[in-house]
Amino acid sequence: MADSLSVGINLDAFAHAINAIQQLRSSVTRVFDTLKDGMKNKETLEGREKAFISDFQDNLHAVNRDLNELERLSNLVGRPSESHPLHNSGLLSLDPVQDKTPLYSQLLQAYKWSNKLQYHAGLASSLLNQQSLKRSAMQMGVSAKRRPKVQPTTLALPPQYVDDVIARIDRMFPDMSLHLSRPNGSSAVLLVTLGKVLKAIVVMRSLFIDRTIVKAYNENVYTEDGKLDIWSKSSYQVFQKVTDHATTALLHYQLPQMPDVVVRSFMTWLRSYIKLFQATCQRCGKFLQDGLPPTWRDFRTLEAFHDTCRQ
């Protein structure tokens, strides 16, 4: 350890540098003492001022002299070889333009922070182990293997309950009609018609919404065999944008414990598009931007924004 510290360091100059630091601190202290004491008692005011200025100048000269001596000794001390803790990365310190690309000094700083993080993580781990709970994550994992998995009850709601929730939402919004169908067993497909603006196909698994496709009011939403088309996109760019925003809304409105609230919140957000072609952007105040109306609706205030203005 002593050998690694002494590499590249002049120990005699190092000892003299420590003494120079002590002398510099003493000189600075005398400067502040002079300022603190102020002008000493003399016969005349002019004599007090001259004595104060003379003492203050002498102390400043002493600080300047000690500082120059410290800078001279610091050049003689040298720098330790820093290649030991990071092995071959020490070759980065040989870069002649280290001031412009201080990679090695930054790497050393990151290495020190990594060591500190590892040390504090070890302390935190020991403290947490002392306060371990009876039901740890490992014990829960072992017990979970022994007992069969239980499916959440909210994923298997009775169809009658789903119909009642959709019927209540349908009565809440007179300008929005909801038609529920079950083409493939328990999974429900909801056709939402919002005035004469748009039609939305909402694919549901019980009361959990899986996906949504928004199309124009005059577009065909059925396939050739008479079933709802849940795959094809709208032919209009504006409704493709609304479909993307509806997918984002599905990720925002998430409350597994209360799926009926999620469906009602999503339908309230979707109803805000009743004035898709009439509302102005709340930021720029324009109707159109890049040929499109404001297609984004805020999740809390339901205000209209252009896709680029909402940032």
Side-chain angles (χ1 to χ4, degrees), residues 84-112:
H84 174 69
L86 298 181
H87 303 287
N88 293 336
S89 61
L91 299 176
L92 293 173
S93 62
L94 303 179
D95 189 357
V97 290
Q98 187 178 2
D99 295 337
K100 297 182 179 179
T101 56
L103 296 177
Y104 187 63
S105 59
Q106 295 176 359
L107 189 62
L108 284 179
Q109 189 68 16
Y111 181 76
K112 294 176 182 178

Side-chain angles (χ1 to χ4, degrees), residues 147-159:
R147 61 176 182 268
K149 295 182 179 180
V150 179
Q151 296 293 336
T153 57
T154 56
L155 296 179
L157 296 173

Side-chain angles (χ1 to χ4, degrees), residues 22-32 59 62-63 66:
Q22 294 176 350
Q23 294 177 2
L24 178 61
R25 295 184 63 180
S26 300
S27 301
V28 173
T29 302
R30 287 195 297 269
V31 171
F32 285 103
N59 291 330
V63 171
D66 295 338

